[in-house]
Amino acid sequence: MDLGDEAIAHLASALASNPSSGLKILDLTGNQLTGDALASLLLTETNTLATCKRLVMFDNRVGTGAHVPTLLQEAASSGRDVCAGLEDLDIGGNKLEKEWVLQLLKALQDTPSLFPSLRTLGLGGNEGMQEANEEVEAIVESLQDRATPLDVVYKAMGDDGKAGANARANQLAADIAGGAGGSGGST
């Protein structure tokens, strides 16, 4: 099923009007969503994803439409905490170009208020990560030193990144079921 950007804008509005929804995981895999949809979820005045711990946007087109790294950096530099509660963001399989990914990684490195609780960033299966260089490696390594260490997952074991995404999903599900890491509760 393809939800489309407009449906996600409506979803974001509904979530923003009900910040105590209890939503823990939002999986929008394979809906051909663009950066506009991702921006509508991440960049609202009210915290659309207030209770959400995991956002999966695998296999979409978030590199088209709104340029999310620039918008995130602008929002964070204005003093707002951006998605303060989000712990896992998977934007793998989106054919993101290296400059897009590099700008996002630099923003995360330079702006502590950008995803301050993020523990895992999934980038596997993106064209821009297939030729990661020393600059990318250095930024990824530095992100381990954030107040909340950030694990950037982009190297898959001979696949297109789906195995890594599935492993993270299984771990998060186990954490939620077992109440580990303080993220207990139901989805």
Side-chain angles (χ1 to χ4, degrees):
M1 164 179 22
D2 287 341
L3 294 176
D5 291 348
E6 188 174 326
I8 299 306
H10 290 295
L11 173 63
S13 177
L15 290 171
S17 66
N18 186 9
S20 60
S21 68
L23 178 71
K24 298 286 185 207
I25 299 171
L26 181 56
D27 188 339
L28 298 169
T29 298
N31 281 288
Q32 301 305 307
L33 302 172
T34 70
D36 297 331
L38 184 57
S40 70
L41 289 168
L42 300 178
L43 296 166
T44 57
E45 288 300 318
T46 59
N47 190 354
T48 300
L49 300 175
T51 61
C52 188
K53 300 294 182 195
R54 176 174 169 76
L55 175 60
V56 182
M57 296 283 291
F58 192 89
D59 190 26
N60 282 287
R61 300 178 298 136
V62 300
T64 62
H67 194 261
V68 175
T70 300
L71 296 173
L72 288 171
Q73 200 163 19
E74 288 170 358
S77 67
S78 72
R80 284 183 28 213
D81 274 349
V82 177
C83 292
L86 195 64
E87 296 176 2
D88 186 24
L89 174 61
D90 187 347
I91 52 174
N94 277 279
K95 299 179 183 163
L96 298 174
E97 295 179 6
K98 185 176 180 180
E99 287 306 313
W100 196 102
V101 172
L102 196 55
Q103 187 177 353
L104 176 63
L105 293 174
K106 285 180 180 177
L108 288 166
Q109 180 184 39
D110 298 340
T111 317
S113 61
L114 183 57
F115 301 111
S117 301
L118 197 64
R119 297 183 312 183
T120 307
L121 174 62
L123 293 170
N126 283 308
E127 294 168 2
M129 296 309 292
Q130 293 174 358
E131 60 220 37
N133 60 16
E134 291 177 14
E135 181 182 20
V136 171
E137 295 282 344
I139 295 170
V140 167
E141 189 173 315
S142 76
L143 291 171
Q144 288 289 315
D145 296 329
R146 288 175 29 135
T148 299
L150 178 58
D151 182 20
V152 179
V153 180
Y154 65 96
K155 293 182 180 178
M157 297 178 0
D159 72 335
D160 63 356
K162 290 182 182 175
N166 289 338
R168 289 190 314 281
N170 291 339
Q171 180 59 50
L172 185 64
D175 288 351
I176 290 171
S183 62
S186 61
T187 58

